[in-house]
Amino acid sequence: MGESLGGSAETSSVSSEAQSRDVTDADWFFTLSLDLMCIASAEGQFLRLNPAFERTLGFTMQELLERPFLDFIHPDDRPATLDVMGTLSQGAELVNFENRYRCKDGSFRSFSWTCAPRNGLFYATARDITERVEAAREIQQLNAGLERRVAERTEALAAANRELEAFSYSIAHDLRAPLRGIDSFSRMVIEDYGPKLDAEGQRQLNVIGSEAQRMGRLIDELLNFSRLGRLELRPALVDMESLVRTVIDELPITQAHRIAHINIGSLPPALGDRAMLRQVWVNLISNALKFSDQSEVPAIEISGEARDGFSTYRVTDHGVGFEPRYAAKLFGVFQRLHSETEFEGTGVGLAIVQRIVHRHAGTVAAEGAVNRGATISFTIPNTKGTEYDGPQ
Amino acid sequence: MTAHSDAADAINGVEILLVEDNPRDAEIAQRALRNHKLANHLVHVKDGQEALDWLFGTGPHAGRDTNHRPKVVLLDLKLPKVDGIEVLRAVRADQRTRRIPVVVLTSSREEQDVVRTYDLGVNSYIVKPVDFENFSAAVSEAGHYWLLVNHDPK
């Protein structure tokens, strides 16, 4: 048995009183503590236990003292416990060592041990952390469950997208065949019976054919537009200046293009998918040229600037412009502010621009006035910041 | 344009086998070929099975002299019974037919790319566009090339 806490008796009555007061306080700590407190031998035997042991584990003092304490420890925790006993025996202190003890009712509780060795004995305190450990395990399971559900939902979404892609694809195909029939057969009527028809009759038949062709273009553009929502974004830092120059070089040569002055300012880079951004430039520059082609010498300015992790780009033309109060409609699908006879087009170009820019976590804007040209601008991130969540 | 009887084929020699299930597309193709005087000896079949039966002299075409091979096959892809790819595979797998030029009629450039991946030796592709002019021109060009210009290795 180790040193008793009683200590040796003092002769002086004052110091004896003081000492017995110290002894009494220390004893009360030991007895009243809700944490487990004990003295144990380096050989693995409990020597003295406070009442908290009985209350917490359910065993009697007798039961706990008569067997090595390793018997009460969860088998999986015994090797580690033996390890720390070795370390303690060499004089090192122990802080926050966790293991599990078996209770009288067969269940296990978790404890966090703090221990100071002295003269071959271990003076230890343990806190019951069973609830804390349980809560941590529940959180972990919740998280695992959540992650699993997120993965399932993501896969479900991907599957739904693939289905939608296949659906719109087959619709487009199925629609094209009868369109071909309409266009072709109206032409055949003109070819075979043209001489029998007056000019008006021929004109009407021509309308049938050209409407069919227009519908074909609409289908293609719609398909393109819907594909954009599902294409995977491949983000990288894009040299916008060189991209713009490439786009201009590769534009089909139209009248306006041939004589246009296209002024390209210095453009900052952007973070995005190069192929999609290319589409944005193609649409904006083609638009600028198209709506300028009634001017004598079309002039277009392309400029950009970077600020606060974003790059803003502007395409300005001096063509027919638009009425500012319709600015919001500009980006709608199939929205047109000029009639088909004035300017050909399906009205999907700017909708595609907006869709791509939004997928890049950016914004679009338009300014203009009637016959005073227009400036279409878009802003997208140029660095990996909090604004940009990655592929959308 | 109706299919010639097998006996007539033997005498006149079929030059074009048109495999197309859509009657409108078939009519447009035949009209284009006729306009360029290329359709005198054309056989039109409406599904993949009949295409194979005709080429190999089986089924309803048993007894046809399979030595008479068409100068070109215009092959649509989406066919009932046996689809275009299967017909192509069979044509390329058989000694008697594997050198016959095949022009594949596809509905889109994407479809064209898919067919390419099968690597079955397609001689050329025509994408069926919406408008009449382009389709007619494409069909008659193909016909013109394979019938008049190309000298096939016999």
Side-chain angles (χ1 to χ4, degrees):
Chain A
M1 200 79 182
E3 255 182 296
S4 82
L5 283 169
S8 49
E10 282 282 345
T11 50
S12 147
S13 64
V14 171
S15 40
S16 149
E17 201 182 288
Q19 195 170 23
S20 65
R21 191 166 52 241
D22 288 337
V23 165
T24 307
D25 284 342
D27 241 343
W28 279 119
F29 264 117
F30 192 77
T31 306
L32 292 177
S33 170
L34 301 172
D35 287 337
L36 277 59
M37 295 173 83
C38 69
I39 305 172
S41 70
E43 287 74 41
Q45 206 73 30
F46 281 132
L47 299 174
R48 186 161 172 193
L49 304 170
N50 74 345
F53 266 90
E54 284 185 321
R55 279 201 304 276
T56 309
L57 296 178
F59 291 106
T60 63
M61 203 70 72
Q62 169 97 359
E63 286 171 305
L64 289 166
L65 289 171
E66 71 192 2
R67 323 178 50 147
F69 55 69
L70 270 176
D71 282 5
F72 298 97
I73 293 175
H74 192 291
D76 294 348
D77 297 340
R78 284 179 199 161
T81 307
L82 284 166
D83 273 348
V84 299
M85 282 166 67
T87 319
L88 279 165
S89 297
Q90 280 156 29
E93 288 173 343
L94 179 68
V95 177
N96 291 340
F97 170 71
E98 294 182 19
N99 64 9
R100 288 162 286 179
Y101 271 73
R102 182 168 41 88
C103 301
K104 179 84 176 188
D105 65 6
S107 67
F108 281 90
R109 298 193 75 83
S110 301
F111 296 95
S112 174
W113 291 93
T114 307
C115 181
R118 186 174 184 274
N119 290 348
L121 295 177
F122 301 152
Y123 293 79
T125 314
R127 173 146 301 176
D128 186 347
I129 57 168
T130 309
E131 270 77 38
R132 199 230 300 155
V133 166
E134 218 12 74
R137 196 194 337 261
E138 263 180 52
I139 289 176
Q140 210 220 359
Q141 280 179 343
L142 268 171
N143 279 345
L146 261 175
E147 276 184 32
R148 197 181 49 246
R149 265 186 292 160
V150 166
E152 282 168 12
R153 294 269 171 85
T154 307
E155 175 50 34
L157 187 61
N161 275 347
R162 283 193 295 270
E163 236 181 84
L164 195 59
E165 164 85 33
F167 178 69
S168 20
Y169 200 66
S170 73
I171 289 232
H173 272 219
D174 294 347
L175 286 175
R176 282 200 190 104
L179 277 180
R180 192 164 47 245
I182 294 171
D183 180 61
S184 306
F185 277 74
S186 56
R187 291 294 158 91
M188 286 188 206
V189 173
I190 295 177
E191 272 182 23
D192 296 348
Y193 298 96
K196 295 203 174 105
L197 286 169
D198 64 359
E200 178 61 11
Q202 294 195 14
R203 185 194 69 85
Q204 289 177 3
L205 280 167
N206 276 322
V207 168
I208 294 176
S210 65
E211 286 294 270
Q213 288 180 32
R214 182 174 149 75
M215 187 165 163
R217 286 195 298 273
L218 283 174
I219 293 175
D220 288 344
E221 295 252 33
L222 261 181
L223 253 193
N224 198 19
F225 178 72
S226 73
R227 258 177 74 241
L228 281 177
R230 290 184 299 283
L231 270 184
E232 215 181 286
L233 219 67
R234 254 165 268 179
L237 204 60
V238 177
D239 178 347
M240 292 295 241
E241 212 174 299
S242 91
L243 180 58
V244 166
R245 288 184 201 282
T246 307
V247 162
I248 291 172
D249 282 341
E250 292 174 356
L251 277 178
I253 310 279
T254 61
Q255 186 69 337
H257 185 209
R258 211 193 312 268
I259 59 175
H261 292 319
I262 303 183
N263 204 316
I264 308 174
S266 133
L267 300 178
L271 189 66
D273 182 294
R274 190 189 169 84
M276 290 197 193
L277 290 175
R278 186 184 180 284
Q279 184 70 57
V280 167
W281 287 114
V282 166
N283 288 9
L284 290 180
I285 296 174
S286 309
N287 266 7
L289 287 170
K290 178 169 71 181
F291 290 105
S292 300
D293 74 8
Q294 289 176 355
S295 331
E296 295 222 331
V297 181
I300 292 167
E301 290 96 45
I302 301 173
S303 61
E305 79 230 1
R307 186 174 43 221
D308 296 339
F310 285 88
S311 293
T312 301
Y313 306 91
R314 290 185 185 77
V315 178
T316 302
D317 69 76
H318 304 280
V320 290
F322 60 92
E323 277 188 72
R325 61 189 164 133
Y326 297 130
K329 285 188 157 197
L330 223 50
F331 297 98
V333 180
F334 293 151
Q335 289 288 349
R336 300 178 47 90
L337 297 184
H338 296 281
S339 73
E340 176 77 4
T341 46
E342 293 175 281
F343 297 98
E344 57 83 32
T346 53
V348 184
L350 282 179
I352 288 178
V353 165
Q354 179 175 256
R355 186 140 210 207
I356 293 175
V357 170
H358 282 177
R359 285 203 68 201
H360 282 74
T363 52
V364 291
E367 289 167 3
V370 176
N371 287 324
R372 302 250 295 278
T375 297
I376 314 291
S377 57
F378 66 98
T379 303
I380 54 181
N382 58 27
T383 46
K384 282 188 169 64
T386 50
E387 294 294 290
Y388 185 64
D389 293 330
Q392 292 175 27
Chain B
M1 188 96 190
T2 56
H4 294 207
S5 71
D6 291 339
D9 292 347
I11 298 166
N12 296 323
V14 170
E15 299 207 301
I16 303 175
L17 175 66
L18 172 63
V19 190
E20 171 63 75
D21 68 313
N22 183 317
R24 265 81 58 191
D25 287 344
E27 188 174 335
I28 297 166
Q30 289 174 79
R31 182 191 173 96
L33 292 168
R34 204 169 35 243
N35 284 348
H36 294 259
K37 312 245 188 306
L38 297 166
N40 290 337
H41 305 290
L42 177 145
V43 166
H44 170 218
V45 295
K46 299 185 191 63
D47 61 67
Q49 185 56 56
E50 205 188 340
L52 295 176
D53 283 337
W54 189 88
L55 282 165
F56 298 114
T58 53
H61 295 284
R64 187 185 82 82
D65 181 1
T66 55
N67 282 322
H68 279 98
R69 291 179 284 273
K71 283 203 173 167
V72 66
V73 175
L74 294 176
L75 178 64
D76 185 36
L77 282 184
K78 293 211 167 28
L79 301 167
K81 298 187 190 167
V82 178
D83 74 31
I85 295 289
E86 285 313 307
V87 171
L88 188 50
R89 227 191 277 276
V91 164
R92 288 290 175 252
D94 192 297
Q95 264 291 77
R96 297 169 285 175
T97 53
R98 67 185 173 88
R99 270 193 280 275
I100 303 175
V102 174
V103 175
V104 168
L105 308 169
T106 63
S107 311
S108 65
R109 238 159 278 279
E110 284 80 22
E111 207 175 57
Q112 189 175 298
D113 293 337
V114 170
V115 176
R116 271 189 224 283
T117 66
Y118 286 99
D119 197 20
L120 287 166
V122 172
N123 296 82
S124 66
Y125 296 86
I126 295 178
V127 175
K128 292 202 253 187
V130 171
D131 84 75
F132 180 61
E133 310 267 328
N134 282 339
F135 186 47
S136 292
V139 166
S140 57
E141 267 171 42
H144 196 250
Y145 179 73
W146 292 107
L147 263 52
L148 301 179
V149 176
N150 194 36
H151 299 291
D152 78 301
K154 269 243 157 44

